Amino acid sequence: MMKKLLLVIWMVPSMAFAQQPSDSLLIKQISDNVLINGKAYDLLRQLTKQIGGRLAGSPQFMKAVLWGQQAMKEMGADTVYIQQCMVPHWVRGGKDVATVVQIGSRKVKKSLSVTALGNSLGAKPGGITAPVLAVHDFAELEARKAEAKGKIVFFNYPFNPTYIIPGRAYGESGVYRRNGASIAAKYGAIGIIIRSLSGSTDNNAHTGVMAYNDSLPKIPAAALGLQDADSLFAWCQRMPVQLHLETHGHFLSDTIGYNVVGVLNGTEQIQQYITVGGHLDSWDEGEGAHDDGAGVVQTIEILRAFKAVGYRPKHSIHFVLFANEENGLRGGNEYARVAALQTDQPIFALESDEGGFTPRGFGCSTSPEKLAMIRSWIPLLQPYGTDVIAAGGGGADIGPLARHFKIPACGLMPDNQRYFDIHHTKADVFEAVNKRELLLGAINMAGLVYLVDKYF
């Protein structure tokens, strides 16, 4: 059979997109270099083991900023700078404790796996002890609101196991973490606990950000591990249960944080740029390896790989390690605010913030025409794991930039079947990340950035 590989044309209604054989060769060159010489795994070890969890405002976060600057310089950025922003400074303040002290008429002392929710305020000194009102969801609380006064409300809303994509279940159940405290406080509750946002089989408690309605009392809020959530709910269905809860979270004054930005200068479209990044902060319970150490080191790896293969982009590329994604999004907002004041214009943004597992593709929020163009590149990326370019997606950090400039925003989509098993827990550690999966994610991101740079 004759080989006709000089030009690949993908047809969509009223539009054709062309790729050259040199595209596949360049992406293969990047892939080989990353798989042989990649530094992302070593960088992740440094970030997690030498620094660890990196809450915004913490000394560990400031260490990570210095580390990020040095890593960008070592990997060959033409320019590295930091971008100051004020960040919230929430601290956990002590050991979180949840203890069942009475079941029916029987006195007990059953410790539960618990973690305070991020941005929640602690219980009064010595903690609170109160009966538990266990409900499935907001609708049941509304029906039983007369029972809530003086109680600790327990929202036992599980992940829906029928959803093939766990992220869908996470999005659905997240409202209990974000808003549960204020909704319960409206009816006189003095604290809440939630079922952790996970479908895992272990008993690790998952933290994550919550928010208060300022017009209502700010009551303590915490999450339980799933095994203990099942047990507590079962007890509450049979008889009254009393719970003792101790949390210590509080805010210090806002403090200075930084985005870290490395730049590869463009050679042609020097007043246009591509942004690619991940967030440098993490929760304090683990080491922030998948969330989002993986995205951070993949971002730096793309920079390293482009320099290593001698690729000189047409557009400038900004490699950004964002501050404060987890409990404030101050870094992403500041990056967009500063961009709006400059004459240079972004044309595309890419983020990795769904873990370092095997890449499956990208989710892209953009126009139908741009989405068709990006989808036409699937054959070039498919050898490395990209099977789908889904409509919708992006990332929290790049969202403000994309909305202001109305540019395409894409997010790496790794396989996320295991992501919410470890997300926001003490299990999010370096050892949970597979080196090859991490590097493959960087390869797919680099390939997409290269194609955007060439064809946008």
Side-chain angles (χ1 to χ4, degrees):
M1 183 174 68
M2 293 181 63
K3 295 183 178 180
K4 296 183 179 180
L5 299 178
L6 296 180
L7 192 65
V8 179
I9 302 289
W10 274 65
M11 299 298 298
V12 298
S14 72
M15 188 172 294
F17 304 112
Q19 295 98 43
Q20 304 296 327
S22 59
D23 295 335
S24 61
L25 293 175
L26 193 282
I27 295 172
K28 179 64 162 63
Q29 186 181 5
I30 291 170
S31 175
D32 289 350
N33 186 275
V34 169
L35 292 174
I36 295 170
N37 302 312
K39 301 298 182 186
Y41 195 66
D42 296 332
L43 290 171
L44 185 63
R45 182 187 287 109
Q46 294 172 14
L47 181 61
T48 55
K49 295 304 181 185
Q50 295 178 17
I51 299 175
R54 306 170 296 280
L55 265 176
S58 69
Q60 291 80 12
F61 179 76
M62 293 307 299
K63 289 180 181 179
V65 169
L66 297 174
W67 169 89
Q69 289 179 271
Q70 185 62 32
M72 293 277 203
K73 291 174 183 177
E74 291 179 357
M75 299 307 153
D78 295 320
T79 305
V80 178
Y81 63 93
I82 54 176
Q83 191 175 68
Q84 181 177 310
C85 59
M86 299 303 293
V87 299
H89 191 184
W90 179 82
V91 295
R92 188 168 297 278
K95 180 177 174 56
D96 302 318
V97 174
T99 308
V100 175
V101 295
Q102 186 169 340
I103 302 176
S105 60
R106 182 166 55 97
K107 300 290 186 181
V108 296
K109 191 174 182 180
K110 168 64 176 172
S111 295
L112 305 179
S113 175
V114 68
T115 181
L117 297 182
N119 288 1
S120 67
L121 300 183
K124 65 183 182 181
I128 56 175
T129 302
V132 177
L133 174 60
V135 296
H136 288 92
D137 52 26
F138 290 144
E140 184 176 356
L141 175 62
E142 181 66 25
R144 301 177 64 187
K145 60 187 178 184
E147 303 174 51
K149 187 174 182 179
K151 303 278 181 64
I152 296 172
V153 171
F154 170 30
F155 292 108
N156 190 42
Y157 191 89
F159 262 29
N160 187 328
T162 67
Y163 294 160
I164 303 304
I165 300 174
R168 182 181 172 191
Y170 177 76
E172 186 177 87
S173 60
V175 64
Y176 293 91
R177 190 187 72 197
R178 292 189 300 274
N179 303 329
S182 289
I183 290 175
K186 179 172 65 173
Y187 299 126
I190 62 171
I192 71 157
I193 50 177
I194 68 167
R195 182 184 185 90
S196 284
L197 273 55
S198 176
S200 68
T201 57
D202 62 35
N203 199 34
N204 291 329
H206 296 235
T207 191
V209 73
M210 57 83 66
Y212 290 111
N213 182 328
D214 288 337
S215 65
L216 294 167
K218 296 179 179 180
I219 61 177
L224 294 182
L226 301 192
Q227 294 176 14
D228 284 343
D230 287 339
S231 296
L232 179 61
F233 197 76
W235 295 330
C236 289
Q237 298 309 294
R238 297 195 300 268
M239 60 194 76
V241 174
Q242 291 260 345
L243 183 75
H244 178 72
L245 179 65
E246 296 179 27
T247 64
H248 313 273
H250 59 277
F251 280 97
L252 302 177
S253 298
D254 283 6
T255 188
I256 294 173
Y258 299 95
N259 296 325
V260 182
V261 184
V263 180
L264 278 184
N265 294 330
T267 58
E268 298 178 23
Q269 306 291 341
I270 59 175
Q271 291 190 308
Q272 295 182 332
Y273 61 91
I274 295 164
T275 293
V276 56
H279 66 85
L280 193 54
D281 66 309
S282 77
W283 290 108
D284 56 325
E285 296 281 68
E287 296 171 352
H290 277 289
D291 186 20
D292 186 27
V296 164
V297 299
Q298 286 168 336
T299 296
I300 299 172
E301 180 66 24
I302 299 166
L303 165 62
R304 186 208 66 80
F306 281 173
K307 294 290 288 189
V309 303
Y311 179 67
R312 301 186 65 195
K314 292 195 307 181
H315 306 85
S316 294
I317 305 176
H318 291 191
F319 301 89
V320 187
L321 314 183
F322 291 96
N324 184 225
E325 186 273 346
E326 292 292 3
N327 69 331
L329 205 62
R330 303 278 185 87
N333 284 323
E334 179 64 10
Y335 181 76
R337 186 192 72 81
V338 172
L341 300 176
Q342 298 174 339
T343 56
D344 293 356
Q345 295 288 303
I347 62 167
F348 178 85
L350 172 64
E351 183 166 356
S352 171
D353 186 20
E354 294 189 27
F357 295 104
T358 301
R360 302 298 188 199
F362 297 91
C364 296
S365 295
T366 186
S367 67
E369 294 77 17
K370 279 291 199 304
L371 183 61
M373 175 184 283
I374 296 169
R375 282 175 168 167
S376 77
W377 301 331
I378 289 177
L380 293 167
L381 300 173
Q382 204 161 31
Y384 312 99
T386 292
D387 289 321
V388 63
I389 306 290
D397 296 293
I398 61 175
L401 184 77
R403 287 189 293 271
H404 180 84
F405 288 96
K406 296 180 173 53
I407 59 172
C410 293
L412 178 68
M413 295 195 316
D415 186 304
N416 73 352
Q417 296 302 321
R418 293 175 287 153
Y419 182 55
F420 294 104
D421 290 2
I422 65 172
H423 178 254
H424 294 178
T425 74
K426 64 183 181 181
D428 189 7
V429 296
F430 172 74
E431 290 80 6
V433 178
N434 176 273
K435 179 179 179 179
R436 188 169 181 84
E437 292 178 337
L438 180 72
L439 294 176
L440 285 169
I443 291 166
N444 283 266
M445 292 173 69
L448 180 58
V449 170
Y450 158 72
L451 292 165
V452 167
D453 181 51
K454 183 172 180 180
Y455 292 106
F456 264 40

